[in-house]
Amino acid sequence: AEDGIRYLVRSRGLGDVYKRQLDEVLQEPTVIFGNSLGGFVAIKFAQWAPVKVQGLVLASPGGAPMTAHEMQRLMNTFHLESHAEAVAFMERCLGEARWTRHPLAWGMRRRFSRPAIREFTSAVSTEWLLSPEDLGTLEVAVALFWGLEDEVLGVKQREFFVRHLPTALVTAPPTYGHAPFIDHPDEFALHIRGFLAALAGPVAQAG
């Protein structure tokens, strides 16, 4: 994963490295889940290889347009120099599960302190971001989740996806944070199962 991140920095984009990796892994149309940066990558892959994507489940995806100043401010939130800063970051991420912030903060600080992650957050460019046309070209079913307690990405980012994914199934639970698979794993799994069932369609009755 870190080699992939370094490739992104060298290539000045979020392109061929993930396309190649997903191409190798996915042998048939698949529903892809992506959260935050992973949501952005999932959208780009669905553009590149729609025949391999049956649907997208996106939770607070990244990639909405922003100014260079807004981008820098967002990237600065990932520079966690102390446990207190890591705890504050997790509080912005989590919905009702803020009681988990201390153990999660320890792991998150270690993750964000990796050289490849630091290199990425320093080099990321607004040129990499999505446009309305990018979303308009998607040919797959989309379930978009954006918790109203998400304090990592703001209302402006949420409105961009809601506005430009008009056919998406949008769910905005009031108690979900940035990562609903952490703060509401069971409930979030039920949402995903419902989406998958809708994609599968009605099952014919035997006999």
Side-chain angles (χ1 to χ4, degrees):
E2 293 205 11
D3 287 343
I5 291 170
R6 288 194 174 94
Y7 179 92
L8 298 180
V9 174
R10 290 197 302 270
S11 64
R12 309 298 294 176
L14 291 166
D16 290 343
V17 61
Y18 282 121
K19 179 181 179 182
R20 184 172 65 252
Q21 290 175 346
L22 288 170
D23 267 337
E24 292 173 356
V25 171
L26 302 180
Q27 302 301 316
E28 60 185 24
T30 304
V31 176
I32 300 177
F33 168 72
N35 167 239
S36 202
L37 175 62
F40 173 80
V41 172
I43 290 169
K44 297 301 290 184
F45 185 74
Q47 287 183 291
W48 293 321
V51 296
K52 288 198 171 183
V53 181
Q54 185 181 7
L56 296 175
V57 177
L58 306 173
S60 296
M66 61 181 71
T67 66
H69 175 72
E70 290 169 335
M71 173 71 82
Q72 187 59 55
R73 186 171 58 186
L74 176 61
M75 292 300 105
N76 287 344
T77 65
F78 303 128
H79 296 167
L80 308 177
E81 304 298 339
S82 67
H83 182 69
E85 288 183 2
V87 169
F89 176 80
M90 292 311 305
E91 287 180 341
R92 292 194 295 273
C93 280
L94 298 171
E96 289 186 330
R98 286 188 170 89
W99 59 272
T100 63
R101 64 192 184 279
H102 281 282
L104 290 173
W106 181 83
M108 191 62 68
R109 187 184 175 198
R110 287 193 63 189
R111 181 179 182 184
F112 285 165
S113 67
R114 294 172 180 170
I117 300 293
R118 294 276 184 143
E119 191 176 354
F120 174 79
T121 56
S122 297
V124 67
S125 168
T126 56
E127 296 176 359
W128 302 358
L129 300 176
L130 297 166
S131 68
E133 292 73 25
D134 287 325
L135 299 188
T137 61
L138 288 178
E139 301 175 357
V140 300
V142 179
L144 174 65
F145 295 86
W146 206 296
L148 299 185
E149 290 198 2
D150 180 355
E151 297 178 12
V152 177
L153 297 176
V155 174
K156 182 178 177 181
Q157 283 76 25
R158 181 177 76 239
E159 290 179 347
F160 169 77
F161 286 101
V162 171
R163 182 181 304 116
H164 298 294
L165 287 173
T167 63
L169 174 65
V170 179
T171 306
T175 59
Y176 281 24
H178 185 66
F181 53 90
I182 295 177
D183 52 50
H184 289 82
D186 294 338
E187 185 178 320
F188 186 55
L190 289 176
H191 281 298
I192 295 177
R193 288 181 63 183
F195 178 66
L196 296 178
L199 285 181
V203 178
Q205 295 291 327

